[in-house]
Amino acid sequence: GAGVSQSPSNKVTEKGKDVELRCDPISGHTALYWYRQSLGQGLEFLIYFQGNSAPDKSGLPSDRFSAERTGGSVSTLTIQRTQQEDSAVYLCASSPGPVETQYFGPGTRLLVL
Amino acid sequence: GENVEQHPSTLSVQEGDSAVIKCTYSDSASNYFPWYKQELGKGPQLIIDIRSNVGEKKDQRIAVTLNKTAKHFSLHITETQPEDSAVYFCAARGGYGGATNKLIFGTGTLLAVQP
């Protein structure tokens, strides 16, 4: 079946602009995660959604970062007033439920000039 | 919070040899340890995982071992093939509260299998 999809696959923006990254989880998966992968680094947790519960935002690096999940499915990660240090690969994952295996999408490669 | 260390950062082996990647974790309450393979330009793909009530798990040429006392776990790949070349990440998930909401990843191992 279809896996996790993300769009765009690549995004180049200018410093100070806002960007929106989209994630479509696997159908039926109630849990959704965003991670950030900087060059040569491991994955850094950003935010977690589970069903209708309040999201775990403990990994968001600053108030310029926000995310929402509409209808328990699609999620959008928004970065306002982008900075060069925001350049990274942003990965989305979903799982059938909490504390279950996470399946990752291909990521969005963000470059802030 | 949880911290995961991974070694080595790079590993080069000859085709047919074995490869071993090691990780240590800090939170003794962690109870789930997946391994992901990431090829260039792609997202991480789960290759094997182990839970804290099991000491070893094997799937064809891939095996993972867990030592809860020492808080370390290892990935073993036997009879390596060129298509095994990729970056491998270990991860750990906490056992209580908010720690169960996320995976904490190691910094990755670049495995190169020489034909």
Side-chain angles (χ1 to χ4, degrees):
Chain A
V4 177
S5 61
Q6 294 186 244
S7 61
S9 54
N10 294 280
K11 176 71 177 179
V12 180
T13 191
E14 294 180 349
K15 177 181 174 181
K17 296 287 181 67
D18 297 353
V19 295
E20 286 189 352
L21 313 179
R22 177 187 169 105
C23 172
D24 284 83
I26 294 172
S27 178
H29 282 196
T30 63
L32 187 147
Y33 313 78
W34 284 96
Y35 292 85
R36 177 170 70 176
Q37 184 175 29
S38 301
L39 187 63
Q41 298 297 310
L43 284 71
E44 172 192 10
F45 168 79
L46 297 177
I47 189 169
Y48 161 71
F49 296 91
Q50 169 53 40
N52 295 321
S53 302
D56 176 353
K57 303 179 182 180
S58 60
L60 295 179
S62 77
D63 58 8
R64 295 186 297 104
F65 288 72
S66 63
E68 62 178 21
R69 188 179 185 192
T70 54
S73 181
V74 172
S75 177
T76 302
L77 177 69
T78 301
I79 309 173
Q80 295 179 310
R81 306 180 302 281
T82 52
Q83 303 294 312
Q84 290 181 332
E85 59 263 30
D86 299 334
S87 297
V89 177
Y90 290 83
L91 290 157
C92 175
S94 70
S95 62
V99 299
E100 295 193 58
T101 299
Q102 296 181 26
Y103 299 90
F104 283 83
T108 293
R109 284 148 193 82
L110 174 67
L111 178 60
V112 182
L113 300 177
Chain B
E2 174 70 281
N3 182 54
V4 176
E5 294 189 358
Q6 182 171 348
H7 299 281
S9 57
T10 60
L11 179 60
S12 181
V13 299
Q14 290 295 124
E15 182 177 359
D17 286 351
S18 295
V20 180
I21 303 171
K22 299 181 179 182
C23 289
T24 60
Y25 60 98
S26 60
D27 185 357
S28 57
S30 291
N31 59 13
Y32 174 68
F33 308 91
W35 286 88
Y36 286 86
K37 175 183 180 182
Q38 187 174 30
E39 297 176 329
L40 193 62
K42 298 184 178 180
Q45 299 295 311
L46 179 74
I47 56 171
I48 196 167
D49 57 12
I50 192 167
R51 300 182 188 275
S52 59
N53 58 346
V54 176
E56 183 174 1
K57 183 176 178 181
K58 189 173 182 180
D59 182 4
Q60 299 183 351
R61 297 186 297 108
I62 295 173
V64 57
T65 59
L66 172 65
N67 183 327
K68 286 184 62 179
T69 302
K71 291 188 286 187
H72 67 69
F73 56 113
S74 300
L75 177 72
H76 304 253
I77 306 174
T78 59
E79 301 172 23
T80 53
Q81 302 167 3
E83 52 265 39
D84 294 330
S85 296
V87 179
Y88 291 81
F89 290 97
C90 63
R93 186 174 65 207
Y96 298 99
T100 64
N101 295 342
K102 69 195 80 166
L103 293 174
I104 305 300
F105 284 83
T107 50
T109 296
L110 175 61
L111 174 64
V113 180
Q114 309 298 330

